[in-house]
């Protein structure tokens, strides 16, 4: 029974030691790491804000353009959505700061008294043990002297022993509860963090789930030039001069979309060339050649080379002929 | 018609100017900001990893304790969940890096050729305009001279004008498409980012939704000491000496849970004291007092004060009597 009490005593002291020498420093460290975490979070938040502010500005620019207006709206919406997400995430950070870090910090500061608690327990245990020993020695002396108070002393020793046992086991239970309370505190606080995160993830998911299909649809619509301002223009007064079967934007878009790596330049160039020949008509090309001298500036007439270069706009050239050298940007 | 052509020309030049002087620098800036964003993200990721590594270590410590074992498991699971979330979030960062920033950077570099495209368009426009002017002057001269080739020249001028109109409007359309392609590129890339985020949020939400109720349940169970090891001990051989109606852990827990700010110290202390009196019995207390002198160490017997201090364990004292001075840590 004395051995059991000793085990309880050692276990209690060891729990106090763990709390003092491991848990509390670990918690202090956690507060420090948590503040780093928070700082990193705010830095990210700031970086996200600046990044999406830049997206927003580009979106505003696109709003100025008649043909890219819709894309400007999408970019603005994307920036807005990110702003909402970031401010929602700030709530998580706030929870982390106020409900976790500040509580943790307060508790580590309050827990300095634990040193004295542990010391007091040790002292009280020794005091009781000494007292019990003394009374037992006294009892032994009284028994030898056949003292009339021996019965009372026996009761006294039994009471002291039972009280000490209760004290030791109750103290152990208390120490265990204290330890458990600390771990539970940590787990419960992080449970709160996870709940806040869950709310954030749910809201964020809902937000993007609403927006994403709209964006996808609008972006796909913007790929189809039949809805666009440009196509409207082309279908109007300026569309003459190019055989529509060959160079309609739809056809162009299809080629661009379907063939990221177009066929080798010579073929593409010659097909382009023949497109021009058809366009201007071989007859008029010949007559233009015949008139070159008469205009006094034969070199300014479109040569076959520059015709290829500029037929169908400046940029198409790059798409078809220069693609090997300079891959086309912004193809997607 | 010449006015219309001039408008088209100005619009085309203005679009090229916008792409060159606004869009491309904005995109370059966006790549820079995006890299900052990514750096901040990785810093956060690292901070989260370190923080939850520390939680994990505390959890491992709790696993060593028989009474806090379950809480250790919860803390470990919380750390594991965070690790999964972080590695999932790394996928989002990877998408951002590979699918957005790298593409954007590549495109800004490829887009330096745009200066020459814009210049070439200007030159070609002027060349065509000059050529048309020359031929019109020549036609006027021929008409005055009643030249036999006047009809051929008229056709030539008409062809040149129609070609120039087509060139101008097609170039404008091309410029608009280029502009649109750039904005769409940006929007589509961020659409991809949002899709990746959506996947992350959905997974994260699902993950926490599975875990959170389990944690909540287990944490609530850990509040009820009837399941705990400590209660098992107390119900065993060491539970004598304290009237169970007064000081059972359940009662204690109830007081702690229900009364974060306990009643003022004097009342609590006296109720505690009476608890002790009941526990030891007034009779034995008196007899202990009577024997004080006989043990030769009356001061080591529990005085009423120290009885209050140590009755029910060292720590309860702080809960009840010192709460005004030192608020109790880890109460939740």
């Amino acid at each position: 029974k004395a051995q059991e009490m000793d085990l309880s005593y050692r276990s209690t002291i060891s729990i106090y030691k763990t709390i003092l020498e491991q848990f509390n420093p670990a918690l202090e460290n956690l507060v420090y790491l948590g503040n780093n975490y928070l700082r990193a979070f705010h830095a990210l938040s700031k970086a996200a804000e600046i990044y999406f502010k830049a997206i927003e500005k580009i979106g505003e620019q696109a709003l100025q353009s008649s043909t890219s207006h819709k894309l400007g709206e999408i970019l603005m919406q994307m920036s807005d959505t990110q702003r909402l997400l970031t401010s929602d995430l700030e709530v998580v950070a706030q929870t982390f700061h106020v409900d976790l870090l500040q509580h943790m910090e307060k508790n580590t500061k309050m827990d300095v008294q634990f040193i004295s608690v542990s010391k007091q327990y040790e002292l009280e245990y020794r005091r009781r043990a000494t007292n019990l020993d003394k009374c037992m020695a006294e009892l032994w002396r009284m028994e030898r002297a056949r003292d009339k108070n021996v019965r009372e002393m026996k009761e006294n020793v039994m009471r002291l022993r039972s009280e000490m046992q209760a004290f030791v086991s109750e103290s152990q239970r208390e120490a265990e509860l204290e330890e458990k309370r600390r771990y539970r505190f940590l787990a419960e606080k992080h449970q709160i963090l996870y709940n806040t995160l869950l709310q954030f993830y749910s809201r964020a998911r809902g937000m993007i789930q609403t927006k994403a299909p709209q964006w996808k649809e609008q972006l796909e619509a913007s790929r189809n030039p039949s809805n666009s301002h440009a196509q409207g223009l082309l279908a109007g007064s300026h569309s003459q001069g190019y055989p529509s079967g060959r160079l309609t934007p739809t056809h162009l878009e299809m080629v661009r979309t379907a063939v990221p790596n177009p066929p080798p330049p010579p073929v593409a160039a010659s097909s382009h060339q023949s497109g021009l020949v058809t366009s201007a008509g071989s007859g008029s090309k010949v007559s233009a050649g015949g008139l070159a001298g008469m205009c006094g500036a034969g070199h300014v007439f479109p040569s076959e080379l520059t015709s290829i270069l500029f037929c169908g706009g400046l940029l198409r050239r790059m798409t078809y002929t220069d693609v090997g050298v300079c891959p086309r940007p912004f193809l997607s």
Side-chain angles (χ1 to χ4, degrees), chain A residues 66 88 114 127-128 191 210 230 241 273 298:
Chain A
S66 57
D88 258 20
F114 233 73
R127 192 188 63 73
R128 285 183 188 245
Q191 161 77 352
T210 313
Q273 181 181 348

Side-chain angles (χ1 to χ4, degrees), chain A residues 191-205:
Chain A
Q191 161 77 352
I192 289 172
L193 180 65
Y194 271 112
N195 277 338
T196 318
L197 266 179
L198 179 59
Q199 281 167 27
F200 165 71
Y201 289 144
S202 298
R203 274 177 59 92
R205 180 171 167 268

Side-chain angles (χ1 to χ4, degrees), chain A residues 1-226:
Chain A
K1 214 145 197 192
Q3 219 174 4
E4 235 174 73
M5 219 143 72
D6 193 52
L7 276 175
S8 263
Y9 170 72
R10 280 168 201 278
S11 162
T12 305
I13 288 293
S14 144
I15 290 171
Y16 285 146
K17 217 172 131 79
T18 305
I19 291 177
L20 275 172
E21 292 174 12
Q22 295 190 2
F23 184 86
N24 282 359
L27 196 65
E28 254 178 84
N29 185 41
L30 206 60
V31 171
Y32 169 78
L33 295 178
N35 280 317
N36 282 352
Y37 192 179
L38 212 56
R39 215 167 294 124
F41 172 82
H42 287 307
L44 181 72
S45 212
K46 192 79 203 157
E49 190 194 318
I50 295 172
Y51 181 88
F52 278 92
K53 188 88 199 156
I55 293 271
E56 190 186 30
K57 272 193 185 165
I58 297 177
E60 275 167 9
Q61 223 172 76
L63 283 183
Q64 309 296 314
S65 149
S66 57
T67 39
S68 301
H69 189 271
K70 194 79 211 165
L71 291 166
E73 280 177 3
I74 295 175
L75 287 170
M76 301 280 282
Q77 281 176 25
M78 284 175 164
S79 175
D80 286 347
T81 301
Q82 189 56 39
R83 194 163 300 137
L84 287 173
L85 288 176
T86 303
S87 82
D88 258 20
L89 205 51
E90 286 287 349
V91 176
V92 181
Q94 197 61 13
T95 298
F96 185 61
H97 184 230
V98 175
D99 291 342
L100 268 83
L101 293 186
Q102 285 187 351
H103 274 232
M104 274 155 60
E105 195 166 13
K106 210 175 82 189
N107 278 328
T108 54
K109 282 185 182 142
M110 274 157 67
D111 234 14
V112 289
Q113 64 186 338
F114 233 73
I115 301 166
S116 69
V117 167
S118 174
K119 282 272 165 293
Q120 278 177 50
Y121 171 69
E122 237 179 298
L123 288 176
E124 176 65 9
Y125 177 84
R126 289 207 190 119
R127 192 188 63 73
R128 285 183 188 245
T130 310
N131 192 27
L132 187 58
D133 285 350
K134 272 188 186 157
C135 286
M136 278 165 76
E138 181 69 14
L139 177 62
W140 186 74
R141 192 192 57 75
M142 280 163 125
E143 272 172 342
R144 279 210 316 181
R146 301 189 183 268
D147 194 304
K148 63 176 166 77
N149 287 322
V150 75
R151 191 188 142 79
E152 206 179 338
M153 195 54 173
K154 222 169 198 163
E155 273 173 5
N156 194 25
V157 163
M158 274 172 69
R159 186 182 56 78
L160 283 178
R161 184 180 281 136
S162 134
E163 273 180 16
M164 182 157 179
Q165 270 168 2
F167 165 75
V168 161
S169 64
E170 181 65 10
S171 293
Q172 184 187 6
R173 201 187 70 86
E174 273 295 322
E176 283 168 354
L177 275 180
E178 282 303 314
E179 183 186 51
K180 196 176 173 187
R181 178 174 296 124
R182 277 157 182 75
Y183 289 126
R184 189 170 51 226
F185 164 81
L186 210 58
E188 280 180 348
K189 287 300 172 190
H190 285 85
Q191 161 77 352
I192 289 172
L193 180 65
Y194 271 112
N195 277 338
T196 318
L197 266 179
L198 179 59
Q199 281 167 27
F200 165 71
Y201 289 144
S202 298
R203 274 177 59 92
R205 180 171 167 268
M207 212 184 287
I208 305 180
Q209 254 178 348
T210 313
K211 286 286 176 191
Q214 294 170 11
W215 290 336
K216 190 163 186 281
E217 203 178 292
Q218 288 168 355
L219 281 170
E220 265 160 20
S222 87
R223 281 194 159 277
N224 177 6
S226 63

